[in-house]
């Protein structure tokens, strides 16, 4: 060992390995980096834009077995905040911090290759953490899904300038769908992932208020009122169902805050009253936008010829329930809804029509 390497070893013994980036000086300007430094540099290379974070977090939720993923995004004074909620397998409390360490993964036997590369090597969350101001688990437990909060300083990690334009979907020659036109922004990343994984999971995208409304309405349709009688606190429910536990605005704000969603009292009242509509999944919105001009017009029938009135809220709730149940059939036969189910009340019949695409 030469004098330089002797010096490196001495400094390492005095100051600790973490303070050194070099494991060995090879001479003539070449060095061997320590593992920690090599991992840090790889992580910095993996994430180049905010949009890369979105893809990594969506892949992480998918690989955790999520059927539904919710992305709430907001920007204020050069800071982008991303909130991810999923109904996947969840994370034990003692792993909430360790999952952001390099090479930590739950996918020892299930590393996945997709259009974005290899996933499951234990570097995705580490890379996200290295490139952001904050990245942490807000709430998660086995069987209850997860909530993540990621905060990005846009002066350090850029994003596309246009974050409001939605792409359109077009059918390729092999019968699959892909995004066309528009910037490669957060929306497009979520849409591309949603189209790619549409038989695996649904992705919902919106502002924190819109996502809160979506999770609330979906949870209320899933939760049995009798079940709620035996729930002492929202934390006993899956992450994506917790807002459905709230009975008033104050409780809604409290539950939302525990999930990392800051919401005003006015917005809470509007969500509870149904004034803020839930978001459709990114795939449903994409396909609906593509075919809406040629498709059938939505029918709003709140009365039949005899004057029977059906409350608009009841029609909407019934339509959502039908759409949710239809998804099970759609998955088996590779069908895709292109719009909300239309409901027609006439005489002694209630007719429901599903407007669909059949994937070839």
């Amino acid at each position: 060992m030469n004098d330089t390497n002797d010096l490196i070893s001495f400094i390492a013994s005095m100051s600790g390995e973490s303070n050194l980036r070099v494991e060995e000086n090879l001479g003539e300007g070449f060095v061997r980096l320590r593992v920690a430094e090599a991992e840090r540099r790889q992580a910095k290379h993996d994430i180049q834009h905010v949009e890369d974070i979105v893809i990594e977090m969506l892949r992480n939720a998918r690989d955790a077995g999520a059927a539904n993923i919710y992305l709430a995004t907001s920007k204020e004074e050069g800071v982008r905040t991303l909130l991810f909620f999923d109904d996947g397998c969840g994370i034990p409390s003692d792993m909430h911090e360790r999952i952001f360490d390099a090479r930590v993964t739950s996918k020892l036997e299930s590393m996945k290759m997709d259009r974005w590369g290899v996933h499951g090597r234990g570097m995705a969350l580490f890379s996200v953490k290295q490139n952001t101001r904050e990245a942490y688990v807000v709430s998660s437990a086995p069987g209850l899904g997860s909530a993540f909060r990621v905060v990005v300083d846009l002066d350090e990690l850029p994003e596309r300038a246009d974050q409001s334009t939605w792409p359109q979907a077009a059918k390729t020659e092999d019968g699959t769908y892909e995004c066309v036109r528009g910037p490669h922004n957060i929306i497009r990343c979520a849409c591309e992932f949603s189209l790619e994984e549409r038989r695996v999971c649904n992705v919902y995208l919106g502002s924190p208020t819109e996502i809160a409304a979506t999770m609330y309405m979906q949870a209320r349709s899933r939760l049995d009122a009798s079940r709620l009688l035996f729930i002492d606190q929202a934390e006993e429910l899956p992450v994506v169902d917790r807002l459905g536990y709230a009975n008033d605005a104050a409780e809604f704000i409290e539950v939302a805050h525990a999930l990392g969603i800051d919401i005003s009292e006015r917005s809470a009242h509007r969500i509870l009253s149904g004034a803020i509509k839930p978001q459709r999944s990114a795939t449903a919105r994409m396909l609906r936008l593509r075919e809406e001009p040629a498709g059938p017009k939505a029918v709003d029938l709140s009365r039949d010829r005899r004057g029977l009135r059906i409350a608009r809220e009841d029609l909407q709730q019934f339509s959502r329930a039908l759409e949710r149940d239809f998804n099970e059939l759609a998955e088996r036969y590779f069908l895709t809804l292109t719009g909300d189910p239309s409901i027609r009340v006439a005489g002694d019949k209630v007719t429901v029509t599903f407007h669909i695409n059949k994937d070839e």
Side-chain angles (χ1 to χ4, degrees), residues 318-319 322 341-344 350-354:
F318 184 47
S319 175
L322 289 171
S342 59
I343 305 171
R344 184 171 184 269
V350 176
T351 304
V352 180
T353 303
F354 296 94

Side-chain angles (χ1 to χ4, degrees), residues 70 160 269 339:
Y70 305 83
R160 296 287 178 176
H269 280 294

Side-chain angles (χ1 to χ4, degrees), residues 328-349:
E328 296 182 6
L329 182 67
E331 289 179 2
R332 279 197 210 106
Y333 293 93
F334 307 109
L335 306 175
T336 303
L337 281 175
T338 62
D340 295 322
S342 59
I343 305 171
R344 184 171 184 269
V345 182
D348 58 354
K349 295 189 300 183

Side-chain angles (χ1 to χ4, degrees), residues 231-298:
I231 299 295
D232 294 327
Q233 53 185 359
E235 287 73 15
E236 297 176 36
L237 293 168
V239 164
V240 299
D241 286 340
R242 289 178 188 173
L243 288 171
Y245 177 83
N247 290 313
D248 55 39
E251 197 168 40
F252 191 94
I253 292 170
E254 180 182 354
V255 176
H257 181 73
L259 291 172
I261 305 174
D262 294 323
I263 200 163
S264 68
E265 183 177 355
R266 179 174 180 272
S267 293
H269 280 294
R270 294 185 66 209
I271 290 172
L272 292 171
S273 67
I276 299 178
K277 294 182 178 180
Q279 299 292 291
R280 291 176 61 79
S281 72
T283 295
R285 175 167 178 173
M286 287 281 291
L287 297 181
R288 184 182 181 186
L289 284 174
R290 183 182 65 82
E291 299 194 355
E292 191 170 35
K297 296 182 178 179

Side-chain angles (χ1 to χ4, degrees), residues 126-144:
F126 176 71
S127 298
V128 170
K129 183 81 169 180
Q130 290 291 309
N131 286 278
T132 58
R133 180 184 293 184
E134 292 179 349
Y136 60 91
V137 177
V138 178
S139 182
S140 187
L144 299 182

Side-chain angles (χ1 to χ4, degrees), residues 100-130:
F100 292 98
D101 292 343
R103 305 190 309 279
V104 173
T105 181
S106 62
K107 308 174 186 68
L108 179 62
E109 304 295 340
S110 59
M111 187 173 66
K112 182 178 179 65
M113 172 68 77
D114 58 23
R115 62 175 289 183
W116 297 279
V118 176
H119 204 245
R121 56 196 173 96
M123 294 298 292
L125 292 179
F126 176 71
S127 298
V128 170
K129 183 81 169 180
Q130 290 291 309

